[in-house]
Amino acid sequence: MTFIHEWSRQFQTYNKNIKLAIWANVFSQIGLGMFMVIYNFYIRALGLSQDVNGQIISLTALATAIILVPAGILSDRLGRKKVMVFGVVFSGIVLILRSIVEPQSLLLVTGFLTGLFTAFLQVSSIPWLAENSLPKQRVHLFSLHSALMMVANVLGSIIGGLLTDIFSMMTTELLSIRYTLLIGSFLYLLAFFPIIKMTEKKRKQPIPYGQKETKKQRSIKQFVKHNQTGLKVIGLFAIAQLIIGSGSGLVIPYLNLYFADRFEVSNTIIGVIISLGQAATAVAMFIGPQVVKRLGEVRAVVTLQLLSLPFLLLTAYTQQFWLASIGFLFRQALMNAGNPIQASLVMSKVNDSIKGLANSVNQMVFQLGWAFMGPISTSIVLRYGSYWGYAHVFTITAGLYLIGSLYFYFVFRSLSSTHETET
């Protein structure tokens, strides 16, 4: 009861902008959950090889990596709301197109465009929450936000698997998948309505090109000097994210294919397993603030990540479906439970003027890891088969997670205790 009371009290302190942002992200995550859990099977239903899956995932991640920093800068300068509206509308339209087109060239193009436009929504969400909350609220807020996103993704994954299997009883495999993708796309577009109701103060407009700066506006040199600590944090954190993102890119995009190839289970079962993984992560995220109270932010993140490694290796080498499911659930929960804690840590070390930049850089390098490692993962699986192929990529991922966790601990252990927030 104390636990429930604490979270209820926290939620009551959040303003309207935060609650609207949470609703927007819930709609978008339900839609994406339906879309992403099924889309790999759409490629197969079109008769294309698994390599095409890798190429699409790589292009999507690469596009996101390319646009994240410009999107973050636009978010800092033009306002979070405008950038989020643009992102949700155009990415929703592209998702609809991805559900319809069949030529491989168009699949690649729309995959690239998805990465471009979804970046505008994701790069603004965390800074928006940070700017509309107090520092003492953020660990709980980011944990609650991430947990609700996971729950929404759970619903999307379950609904996506169920709808596909239901539609398959009435029509062809291809059409059943397409109907599910279209429904997911329209649910994603519902995020537009909460975003449009948000209220944001007008930001100072940048100086038109060719005009001289006023005395009040700082030069680039002054900007760097004023944000020296924040920019250092961004750079150090980006290295950790690149390492973790590289490991993640080998495994996470292909988990549905892993269960289908190694254990030959139905789409519904795969949707349920992946959804349970998200649900377990949501529960772990609610516990995250309690872990922070005991261990501190940095130790909490590292402890949770290291505890996930044995379960990752269990998933890699087991030939029993129930063991693979248990390993997946615990790995998913433990590895991701620290994400909101990391977000809170970074947002507390930079001022409002570069929060969008900080979020975009960190997500950019993570997406670069996905872009570079996606094709490598599919190549390894095609070469070594459904057992040893996945065993190899999961093991490599475990090694990268270990390196990334140790780096994060030794770098941020001292940084978190010696540097204060810039204003």
Side-chain angles (χ1 to χ4, degrees):
M1 291 301 297
T2 303
F3 178 81
I4 294 172
H5 176 72
E6 178 184 357
W7 280 99
S8 176
R9 181 171 50 82
Q10 282 285 332
F11 187 78
Q12 291 172 7
T13 65
Y14 302 150
N15 62 30
K16 182 180 178 182
N17 278 337
I18 290 176
K19 293 174 182 178
L20 287 171
I22 289 174
W23 274 112
N25 281 292
V26 165
F27 285 128
S28 66
Q29 287 301 312
I30 290 175
L32 283 177
M34 292 179 63
F35 197 96
M36 295 307 175
V37 78
I38 296 299
Y39 194 74
N40 287 348
F41 299 117
Y42 179 64
I43 303 301
R44 282 188 174 181
L46 291 174
L48 301 173
S49 69
Q50 188 165 317
D51 278 340
V52 177
N53 263 324
Q55 292 169 16
I56 292 173
I57 290 169
S58 179
L59 279 173
T60 304
L62 181 61
T64 302
I66 291 170
I67 201 65
L68 270 171
V69 170
I73 294 172
L74 285 173
S75 177
D76 287 334
R77 293 167 74 87
L78 301 181
R80 316 293 180 203
K81 179 179 175 179
K82 291 179 182 177
V83 170
M84 285 191 281
V85 167
F86 173 84
V88 76
V89 170
F90 282 91
S91 54
I93 293 171
V94 171
L95 288 178
I96 293 172
L97 290 175
R98 291 183 72 181
S99 308
I100 299 171
V101 299
E102 296 187 11
Q104 182 174 332
S105 58
L106 291 178
L107 294 172
L108 296 174
V109 169
T110 53
F112 186 84
L113 291 176
T114 301
L116 285 180
F117 293 129
T118 54
F120 286 91
L121 178 60
Q122 71 187 63
V123 80
S124 299
S125 297
I126 294 300
W128 177 264
L129 295 176
E131 290 170 1
N132 284 276
S133 62
L134 300 173
K136 64 180 181 180
Q137 295 177 311
R138 286 177 190 154
V139 171
H140 281 83
L141 172 59
F142 290 169
S143 296
L144 175 64
H145 176 260
S146 297
L148 290 176
M149 297 311 98
M150 290 294 176
V151 171
N153 211 273
V154 165
L155 292 175
S157 297
I158 293 175
I159 294 169
L162 284 173
L163 285 179
T164 303
D165 285 343
I166 291 171
F167 288 143
S168 66
M169 299 177 186
M170 298 176 283
T171 184
T172 63
E173 179 187 11
L174 177 60
L175 287 177
S176 66
I177 293 172
R178 178 169 290 158
Y179 294 154
T180 302
L181 294 177
L182 285 169
I183 293 172
S185 302
F186 284 111
L187 282 173
Y188 178 90
L189 276 170
L190 290 179
F192 169 81
F193 297 101
I195 294 174
I196 206 69
K197 292 182 179 180
M198 295 176 180
T199 56
E200 183 177 20
K201 294 180 180 179
K202 189 175 181 180
R203 292 174 180 263
K204 294 180 180 180
Q205 294 298 314
I207 301 173
Y209 179 76
Q211 292 187 14
K212 294 182 179 179
E213 290 186 339
T214 65
K215 292 180 180 180
K216 292 183 179 180
Q217 292 176 304
R218 298 185 294 269
S219 66
I220 294 177
K221 183 177 180 180
Q222 289 172 318
F223 170 81
V224 172
K225 183 179 180 181
H226 179 74
N227 294 285
Q228 186 174 5
T229 300
L231 293 172
K232 179 183 177 182
V233 171
I234 293 172
L236 292 173
F237 193 76
I239 296 173
Q241 287 294 88
L242 179 61
I243 298 170
I244 297 296
S246 297
S248 176
L250 281 170
V251 169
I252 305 305
Y254 310 104
L255 284 170
N256 53 356
L257 296 178
Y258 159 79
F259 283 109
D261 291 343
R262 184 176 285 190
F263 303 107
E264 299 181 354
V265 293
S266 69
N267 292 337
T268 299
I269 297 298
I270 293 171
V272 169
I273 292 297
I274 292 177
S275 299
L276 287 174
Q278 304 282 41
T281 303
V283 173
M285 285 177 174
F286 280 116
I287 299 171
Q290 305 302 319
V291 181
V292 171
K293 287 181 181 178
R294 290 175 176 244
L295 302 178
E297 290 174 318
V298 174
R299 289 188 177 184
V301 170
V302 173
T303 299
L304 290 167
Q305 290 181 345
L306 292 179
L307 287 173
S308 75
L309 298 185
F311 296 102
L312 176 60
L313 293 174
L314 172 64
T315 309
Y317 290 98
T318 184
Q319 297 186 37
Q320 301 295 322
F321 174 69
W322 66 275
L323 280 177
S325 300
I326 291 173
F328 164 72
L329 294 178
F330 279 93
R331 187 225 70 86
Q332 184 87 354
L334 293 168
M335 190 65 197
N336 292 311
N339 291 345
I341 303 171
Q342 294 181 67
S344 174
L345 177 62
V346 173
M347 290 295 108
S348 69
K349 301 302 174 186
V350 300
N351 64 35
D352 287 353
S353 66
I354 58 171
K355 278 183 167 58
L357 177 65
N359 193 40
S360 62
V361 168
N362 291 329
Q363 293 192 42
M364 177 195 71
V365 295
F366 189 88
Q367 293 295 328
L368 282 175
W370 275 47
F372 293 142
M373 304 306 283
I376 294 175
S377 179
T378 53
S379 298
I380 292 174
V381 172
L382 286 173
R383 180 174 179 180
Y384 293 101
S386 61
Y387 180 80
W388 285 110
Y390 287 110
H392 289 333
V393 296
F394 279 47
T395 303
I396 296 170
T397 294
L400 289 170
Y401 282 175
L402 176 62
I403 294 170
S405 299
L406 293 177
Y407 166 86
F408 187 85
Y409 175 72
F410 287 112
V411 170
F412 286 91
R413 175 183 57 175
S414 58
L415 188 66
S416 61
S417 60
T418 60
H419 293 269
E420 300 297 329
T421 306
E422 296 177 351
T423 56

